Amino acid sequence: MANELVYSGKTKDVFALENGNYLLKFKDDCTGKDGVFDPGENSVGLTIEGVGDVNLRMSIYFFEKINAAGIKTHYVNADLENTTMEVLPAKVFGEGLEVICRHKAVGSFYRRYKQYVEEGADLPAYVETTFKNDELGDPLVTKDGLVVLGVMTAEQYDQLKDMTQKITQIVADDLKEKGLVLYDIKFEFGYDANGDVILIDEIASGNMRVYKDGEYIDPMTLSELFFA
Amino acid sequence: MANELVYSGKTKDVFALENGNYLLKFKDDCTGKDGVFDPGENSVGLTIEGVGDVNLRMSIYFFEKINAAGIKTHYVNADLENTTMEVLPAKVFGEGLEVICRHKAVGSFYRRYKQYVEEGADLPAYVETTFKNDELGDPLVTKDGLVVLGVMTAEQYDQLKDMTQKITQIVADDLKEKGLVLYDIKFEFGYDANGDVILIDEIASGNMRVYKDGEYIDPMTLSELFFA
């Protein structure tokens, strides 16, 4: 029997499984603009053959490392043949929340706060949260904001921040072994039936800004270097 | 001997006093646009005779109440004849930080988060901080952001948030006795030589959004009602 399609996203389709889990089908569609892959863009800009496969492989690699470190993720197993990943059920916070961890001041952080920081300056695992909202340019929201808006509890925020910093360190350490420097990375978290925070979505080259010898590495090149 | 002019602001001039304190000269210039007083605007839009006097009188009224409640402010005394207020020396955080306390979801908070909140909904003394930066539209900054940018310590933020909630309650309670409802209010804080956080600047009708019987009361009308 075919699994039921419950959601069709920009880069993934989601199917309900009979065991209560979900199946993520990684697509070859990428966010970007004018035919250029740009993880900061909110709309699908191009399709690149094999992107789904490479994003799934990187996600498997990191989710297994993170699970092994005792940090809860939604990852159960994967099927490279069909470019799918089986995941645990989870609710998202609000209507979608991005969690960003920054090791270096670049991108929107630098643009917002350039009065106070040099571009590329070290940031000690700074974590921030933004609401997914294309029209409003993904507005920043504080811990207190998330609480008063009823999106999460203060305890869930503390759990999420702690997990984010630990996961980011795992990714940064791994990239460092490959001669790569992680500048920032974005995650999505959800929560299970007990309210426990879990890492969801994917961990792929399009979710992070990585540099090598001071030069920015675009997501496609990063995937190639990563699996070289 | 004339006091030395050390800073000329949009609505106040600042003079150094020989005793180490400063003298704020309240001007009749108001922020606004197209001849309409708008506390949300960043540029001086009009001059209204007597505005300096009425802002000084409201500031004296609230600073004395707040000092009496044991919350530290920069207020020393005032001279209504010359429209001046003597204040303690204080350093500002960064290049100017606005601290907003919201009892109701309106204005920029509602615009940012309307996906999650009804306009005018109750907010439990939510506090947020924005950098003064006209070009960037006063960007929001989180507690963690203020700390990594070196603008204040985590302890100073906690002190500032606690003081903000207490001061806002004092103002809201006072307005309530006059049949007025405080929706939100903005403050400026600084710190003294010991690093202790102190309330600075002014507390005037242009710093707050106030409603009466569900209708917004503009700052000029608010000042009239307040001293009626």
Side-chain angles (χ1 to χ4, degrees):
Chain A
M1 201 185 89
N3 297 309
E4 189 199 351
L5 178 71
V6 291
Y7 179 74
S8 184
K10 290 172 193 164
T11 61
K12 290 180 217 70
D13 289 333
V14 183
F15 298 89
L17 295 178
E18 292 195 347
N19 66 1
N21 289 343
Y22 289 87
L23 199 70
L24 305 184
K25 167 74 180 172
F26 282 59
K27 301 195 275 194
D28 284 343
D29 296 335
C30 312
T31 57
K33 206 163 72 173
D34 305 328
V36 179
F37 189 2
D38 179 355
E41 276 297 317
N42 285 315
S43 54
V44 168
L46 69 166
T47 300
I48 303 172
E49 178 136 0
V51 157
D53 172 68
V54 87
N55 285 344
L56 176 57
R57 283 194 291 138
M58 196 180 284
S59 295
I60 295 167
Y61 178 85
F62 282 121
F63 275 126
E64 289 184 345
K65 275 208 157 190
I66 295 160
N67 277 348
I71 300 163
K72 203 169 172 184
T73 80
H74 72 160
Y75 176 75
V76 178
N77 60 51
D79 176 356
L80 280 171
E81 196 105 343
N82 292 306
T83 333
T84 58
M85 184 164 91
E86 182 177 339
V87 300
L88 299 170
K91 287 196 166 151
V92 297
F93 290 106
E95 296 167 33
L97 183 75
E98 288 194 339
V99 181
I100 300 135
C101 187
R102 302 178 183 277
H103 281 185
K104 300 273 187 183
V106 292
S108 63
F109 183 90
Y110 174 68
R111 285 195 297 276
R112 252 183 272 137
Y113 306 131
K114 59 188 165 195
Q115 217 176 335
Y116 294 96
V117 71
E118 294 286 315
E119 190 162 19
D122 287 332
L123 295 177
Y126 164 80
V127 174
E128 66 184 16
T129 47
T130 61
F131 283 128
K132 287 192 189 190
N133 187 313
D134 294 359
E135 193 196 330
L136 294 172
D138 293 346
L140 183 67
V141 57
T142 66
K143 173 183 175 178
D144 289 344
L146 291 166
V147 174
V148 297
L149 293 168
V151 173
M152 67 177 68
T153 64
E155 294 68 33
Q156 284 177 324
Y157 184 88
D158 293 340
Q159 208 180 332
L160 177 151
K161 180 179 160 184
D162 180 59
M163 290 168 75
T164 298
Q165 291 178 323
K166 285 177 178 155
I167 296 164
T168 302
Q169 198 56 56
I170 290 171
V171 175
D173 287 346
D174 189 277
L175 292 170
K176 199 178 172 186
E177 286 174 21
K178 297 172 171 73
L180 301 165
V181 181
L182 180 69
Y183 272 39
D184 55 32
I185 184 165
K186 66 180 174 188
F187 303 104
E188 282 184 56
F189 286 87
Y191 56 100
D192 66 15
N194 301 320
D196 282 333
V197 179
I198 56 178
L199 180 65
I200 62 168
D201 197 45
E202 62 172 22
I203 302 182
S205 61
N207 300 93
M208 54 188 89
R209 267 201 200 88
V210 172
Y211 282 61
K212 187 183 168 113
D213 304 324
E215 292 289 318
Y216 171 70
I217 307 292
D218 70 85
M220 295 306 297
T221 309
L222 174 58
S223 294
E224 281 165 33
L225 288 173
F226 195 84
F227 291 112
Chain B
M1 201 185 91
N3 297 307
E4 189 198 352
L5 178 71
V6 290
Y7 179 74
S8 183
K10 290 171 192 164
T11 61
K12 289 179 217 72
D13 288 332
V14 183
F15 298 88
L17 295 178
E18 290 195 350
N19 66 0
N21 289 343
Y22 289 87
L23 199 70
L24 304 185
K25 167 75 181 172
F26 283 58
K27 300 195 274 195
D28 284 343
D29 296 335
C30 312
T31 57
K33 206 163 72 174
D34 304 329
V36 180
F37 189 2
D38 179 353
E41 276 296 318
N42 285 314
S43 54
V44 169
L46 68 166
T47 300
I48 304 172
E49 178 136 1
V51 157
D53 172 68
V54 86
N55 286 343
L56 176 58
R57 282 194 290 136
M58 196 180 285
S59 294
I60 295 167
Y61 179 85
F62 282 120
F63 275 126
E64 287 184 346
K65 273 208 160 192
I66 295 159
N67 277 349
I71 299 164
K72 203 168 173 185
T73 80
H74 72 161
Y75 176 76
V76 178
N77 60 52
D79 175 355
L80 280 170
E81 195 106 342
N82 292 305
T83 334
T84 58
M85 184 162 90
E86 182 176 340
V87 299
L88 298 171
K91 288 198 165 149
V92 298
F93 290 106
E95 296 167 33
L97 183 76
E98 288 195 338
V99 181
I100 300 136
C101 188
R102 301 177 182 278
H103 281 184
K104 300 272 189 183
V106 291
S108 64
F109 183 90
Y110 174 69
R111 286 194 297 276
R112 254 183 272 140
Y113 306 131
K114 59 187 166 197
Q115 219 176 335
Y116 295 95
V117 72
E118 295 286 316
E119 189 162 18
D122 286 333
L123 295 178
Y126 164 80
V127 174
E128 67 184 14
T129 46
T130 61
F131 283 128
K132 287 193 189 188
N133 186 313
D134 294 0
E135 193 196 330
L136 293 171
D138 294 345
L140 184 66
V141 58
T142 67
K143 173 183 174 180
D144 289 344
L146 291 167
V147 174
V148 297
L149 293 170
V151 173
M152 67 176 70
T153 65
E155 294 67 34
Q156 284 177 324
Y157 183 88
D158 293 340
Q159 206 181 337
L160 178 151
K161 180 180 160 183
D162 180 61
M163 290 167 75
T164 298
Q165 291 177 323
K166 285 177 177 155
I167 296 165
T168 302
Q169 198 56 55
I170 289 170
V171 175
D173 288 346
D174 190 275
L175 292 170
K176 200 178 173 186
E177 285 175 22
K178 298 171 171 74
L180 301 165
V181 181
L182 180 68
Y183 272 39
D184 55 32
I185 184 164
K186 66 180 175 188
F187 301 105
E188 282 184 57
F189 286 87
Y191 55 100
D192 65 15
N194 301 319
D196 282 334
V197 178
I198 56 179
L199 180 65
I200 63 169
D201 198 44
E202 63 172 21
I203 302 182
S205 62
N207 300 93
M208 53 187 93
R209 265 199 201 88
V210 173
Y211 282 60
K212 188 183 169 113
D213 304 326
E215 293 288 319
Y216 171 70
I217 306 292
D218 70 84
M220 294 307 298
T221 309
L222 174 57
S223 293
E224 282 165 31
L225 287 173
F226 195 85
F227 292 111

